[in-house]
Amino acid sequence: MNNKKALDVVVVVGFALFSMFFGAGNLLFPPYLGLVSGTNWIVSLSGFILTDIILALVVVMAAVKFDGDLDLTLSRAGKKFARAIIIASILCIGPLLAIPRNGATTYEMGIAPILGFDTPVAKLIVSIIFFGLTLLLTIRPSKVVDIIGKFLTPALLVCLAILIIMGIINPIGDLSSSQLIENTLFAEGVAQGYQTLDTLAAVAFSTVAITAIIQRGYSDSKEKVKLTLQSGLISGVFLALVYAGLTYLGSMLSTTYGVDTPQASLMVVITNAILGKPGKIILGIIVSLACLTTSIGLTSSAASYFSNISNGKLKYQTLVIGICVFSLILANFGVSTIIQFSAPVLEIVCPVLVALIGTTFLDKYIKNDNAFKGVAYVTLLISILSVGSSLFNITQVSDLLSKLPLAQYGFNWILPAILGGIIGNFIKTKKVVNSNQKAM
């Protein structure tokens, strides 16, 4: 392996992963966590990093085992079930939630403050430009990683560094000694981490990364695993540094702003306080680059997946156009509406995906596929009950679920999932499939 060439690949792919992960939610949630946490911002940040960066990297590691084949990664829980979970995940990180959220955030946080007014016509025009650029830069899949990793990410990092460093040098407020929410700060960080969609996005982004590495001539299994994991580590380190900076900036407003402060406007307040009028332009660049790079990565991933499972009957280019048009329409409903719609869906899909991904690391030790099915179905049941009891205010169910271990941290599904796997392992199956035989 040519070490210099390999380093170049790792840096470009790592930067591309950083930018694809760092989108609308990654700008919205860390400052808000700082705001509600005050001096204890590190606690909420830790929960956020767990469900955003660490889980995303775990998903990447699992996907690498199966050469980026999403269906194969979860296949032991049942092919149809795996396909359903992956399609739900791709739709969440694609045209239903994440892609339009990036378009809406670009307007509300990046462009509207510069314009000085907010009208439906302006929002529509910005959306057309945003998704037009997404379409233009995504239509050729082989160029996606190079466009993001070599050109867009460095510009994004420079702007973020200016904002964070200036905020640290010139503090914009005092940190409150008490938190502003009743929920535990770590659990709040966990919940906000789910909202970024990065755990779901990692399933698709890992495929983009692996494909880019293969296109650069690295076809050996060990090389692909090594380079992908190194790229993931680079993206994780940069994400953690940026999150820490943004959370700290948000904590400086904990004595002057309340918990009801809109998340989309919080970054505008921070940037104006640090950089004054030029801050609007800097924020506009940050938001536009962050959201555009993520939109490109998500659009490419979603189009590639649906093209592959249709065996090419649905053309990649046609899917890209369709995703961009559909996302453009949803983006005009606004960030708050999209976030409200996304929460229940994510709280159902994310735990199931995480539980199955985690179980794949024990793949060679588990001989019975019913163990995987037990983990999947029990996690799905707990997730549906949790979301349903919250939406419909069924206090008896909520109280019962709150008594489960780790419930206060947002992980009430873990023990039931383990028990489901153990029970499933003792249920005989007609066919034993060792997916390691199909993996690399």
Side-chain angles (χ1 to χ4, degrees):
M1 182 188 294
N2 185 316
N3 290 333
K4 186 178 184 304
K5 179 184 176 184
L7 179 61
D8 290 341
V9 171
V10 167
V11 170
V12 171
V13 176
F15 274 18
L17 280 173
F18 166 85
S19 276
M20 286 189 288
F21 279 126
F22 192 82
N26 311 74
L27 273 170
L28 290 169
F29 302 125
Y32 178 78
L33 286 176
L35 173 69
V36 301
S37 304
T39 54
N40 297 311
W41 62 273
I42 292 179
V43 177
S44 56
L45 174 66
S46 299
F48 186 80
I49 287 176
L50 173 62
T51 50
D52 182 81
I53 298 175
I54 294 177
L55 286 185
L57 292 181
V58 167
V59 171
V60 171
M61 290 169 62
V64 169
K65 288 177 58 182
F66 299 91
D67 221 7
D69 188 325
L70 304 184
D71 287 354
L72 188 58
T73 305
L74 308 182
S75 61
R76 293 190 66 185
K79 291 182 179 179
K80 292 182 179 179
F81 184 86
R83 176 67 60 85
I85 290 296
I86 291 169
I87 288 177
S89 301
I90 295 294
L91 288 175
C92 283
I93 64 172
L96 290 184
L97 301 175
I99 297 175
R101 187 175 73 181
N102 279 282
T105 303
T106 298
Y107 173 74
E108 293 184 25
M109 287 178 60
I111 305 302
I114 296 175
L115 296 176
F117 58 85
D118 180 2
T119 66
V121 173
K123 182 184 293 186
L124 178 60
I125 293 172
V126 171
S127 297
I128 291 172
I129 295 172
F130 180 86
F131 289 106
L133 287 172
T134 299
L135 173 62
L136 180 65
L137 298 174
T138 309
I139 203 71
R140 296 181 63 187
S142 62
K143 298 295 183 181
V144 169
V145 169
D146 281 337
I147 291 169
I148 297 176
K150 289 183 178 180
F151 305 108
L152 300 180
T153 304
L156 173 60
L157 284 172
V158 168
C159 293
L160 285 167
I162 291 172
L163 178 64
I164 293 171
I165 292 172
M166 290 295 292
I168 293 173
I169 294 174
N170 301 303
I172 57 177
D174 298 321
L175 280 64
S176 172
S177 58
S178 59
Q179 66 186 64
L180 304 182
I181 55 174
E182 295 181 2
N183 196 14
T184 60
L185 293 180
F186 187 84
E188 183 67 18
V190 167
Q192 298 285 343
Y194 279 141
Q195 286 276 9
T196 64
L197 302 175
D198 283 349
T199 302
L200 300 182
V203 177
F205 289 162
S206 59
T207 303
V208 176
I210 293 168
T211 301
I213 288 169
I214 293 173
Q215 288 174 344
R216 284 159 173 78
Y218 295 96
S219 56
D220 179 74
S221 297
K222 290 183 179 180
E223 288 182 339
K224 283 187 290 185
V225 170
K226 182 179 179 180
L227 294 177
T228 304
L229 295 183
Q230 288 177 341
S231 300
L233 184 60
I234 285 179
S235 69
V237 169
F238 277 100
L239 284 170
L241 290 173
V242 171
Y243 292 156
L246 293 177
T247 306
Y248 180 64
L249 294 183
S251 70
M252 294 181 187
L253 300 178
S254 55
T255 57
T256 54
Y257 285 84
V259 68
D260 58 346
T261 304
Q263 292 169 326
S265 64
L266 193 57
M267 274 298 294
V268 177
V269 172
I270 290 172
T271 309
N272 286 343
I274 294 172
L275 301 173
K277 290 184 179 180
K280 292 182 179 180
I281 298 175
I282 295 292
L283 179 61
I285 295 172
I286 290 174
V287 172
S288 299
L289 286 173
C291 292
L292 181 61
T293 52
T294 300
S295 181
I296 291 169
L298 292 174
T299 302
S300 177
S301 300
S304 296
Y305 178 73
F306 288 117
S307 179
N308 288 337
I309 65 173
S310 70
N311 295 319
K313 293 179 181 178
L314 295 173
K315 301 298 182 184
Y316 171 86
Q317 288 78 8
T318 303
L319 287 164
V320 167
I321 294 171
I323 290 170
C324 287
V325 172
F326 188 78
S327 299
L328 188 158
I329 295 171
L330 285 189
N332 283 271
F333 285 95
V335 174
S336 297
T337 302
I338 295 171
I339 289 177
Q340 288 175 359
F341 173 71
S342 69
V345 180
L346 297 176
E347 289 173 13
I348 291 175
V349 175
C350 275
V352 178
L353 182 64
V354 171
L356 282 176
I357 290 292
T359 310
T360 62
F361 288 96
L362 302 174
D363 190 65
K364 64 181 180 181
Y365 303 107
I366 301 175
K367 305 303 179 183
N368 189 341
D369 286 358
N370 284 329
F372 285 82
K373 293 176 181 178
V375 168
Y377 296 147
V378 170
T379 304
L380 179 62
L381 175 63
I382 296 296
S383 299
I384 291 174
L385 289 175
S386 296
V387 172
S389 62
S390 177
L391 286 177
F392 301 106
N393 196 27
I394 306 175
T395 55
Q396 297 91 335
V397 177
S398 297
D399 292 343
L400 180 62
L401 293 174
S402 67
K403 295 177 182 178
L404 291 172
L406 303 177
Q408 67 270 35
Y409 302 115
F411 294 105
N412 61 357
W413 52 268
I414 288 183
L415 181 59
I418 293 172
L419 293 176
I422 293 173
I423 293 171
N425 194 53
F426 287 102
I427 299 175
K428 290 185 179 181
T429 181
K430 294 180 181 180
K431 184 179 180 181
V432 175
V433 179
N434 185 352
S435 57
N436 277 333
Q437 294 174 354
K438 300 177 183 179
M440 298 187 309

